[in-house]
Structure formats: C-alpha cells, structure tokens
Amino acid sequence: GKKPLCQKIVAELKHYYNGFHLLWIDTKVAVRMVWRLLHGQVLTRRERRRLLRTCADLFRLVPFLVFVIVPFMEFLLPVFLKLFPEMLPSTFETESKK
C-alpha cells in the first residue's frame, strides 16, 4: 500500500541527508587529490574522473540549493528535473532515477 505522509517526509529527509553526506565525503577526497596535483603528483584515470565528477556536482549544487532553501520551491523540482535531467548532483540520484 501507500506510505503515510510522515514516513514519506522522513524518507525524503534521509535521502537529502545521505546525499549531502556523500557529497561531503567526495569533496574531502577531491581536496586531497587537488593537494596532490599541486605537489606534482599524477592522478590515475579513475581519480581524474572522480575529481571531475565531484567538481561538476559542486557546480550543480548551487541551483539545487535554491530548490531546498526557497519555501515551497521543492514542489517545482520534479518539473525542472524533467526539463534538465542532469541538474541533480550525482550523490542525490537514486537507482530508480538513473
């Protein structure tokens, strides 16, 4: 059946918490990679891809935060995701959304 509204809200809050937590971890790893680059070390292809993905996620976070901060704007998020599917940072995507 359907979930009650309270459970839906809690599930969404957990989803956003986990997304921000994963983005924070990725950002910390990316800072370490940039530090290594500045000290003359070479990144592997996998590290380079992760660094680029994390930087792209940080730039995508700015318009996403507008939807989170502005009251009642989160109701328009599905419309904008339909128009711009790559707008959401990768840490906030679920398996069903991919």
Side-chain angles (χ1 to χ4, degrees), residues 4 25 34 62 69 75 87:
I25 291 170
V34 169
V62 174
I69 293 173
F75 296 119
M87 186 183 85

Side-chain angles (χ1 to χ4, degrees), residues 41-57:
Q41 293 183 359
V42 179
L43 297 178
T44 64
R45 185 171 26 157
R46 182 178 180 183
E47 289 173 330
R48 206 171 28 251
R49 277 195 324 243
R50 186 171 184 177
L51 179 62
L52 289 174
R53 188 194 70 211
T54 303
C55 289
D57 284 346

Side-chain angles (χ1 to χ4, degrees), residues 81 88 92-98:
L81 288 177
L88 200 61
F92 290 91
E93 291 178 353
T94 59
E95 288 298 320
S96 64
K97 300 288 184 205
K98 288 181 182 179

Side-chain angles (χ1 to χ4, degrees), residues 63-98:
F64 178 68
L65 281 177
V66 172
F67 287 98
V68 175
I69 293 173
V70 176
F72 302 109
M73 189 96 172
E74 62 270 6
F75 296 119
L76 292 177
L77 186 60
V79 174
F80 278 90
L81 288 177
K82 192 72 170 173
L83 295 173
F84 308 104
E86 297 294 322
M87 186 183 85
L88 200 61
S90 65
T91 56
F92 290 91
E93 291 178 353
T94 59
E95 288 298 320
S96 64
K97 300 288 184 205
K98 288 181 182 179

Side-chain angles (χ1 to χ4, degrees), residues 5 12 75:
L5 182 63
E12 283 297 314
F75 296 119

Side-chain angles (χ1 to χ4, degrees), residues 26-37:
D26 283 348
T27 304
K28 288 192 316 187
V29 171
V31 167
R32 282 190 229 127
M33 285 185 218
V34 169
W35 183 258
R36 284 179 36 209
L37 276 173

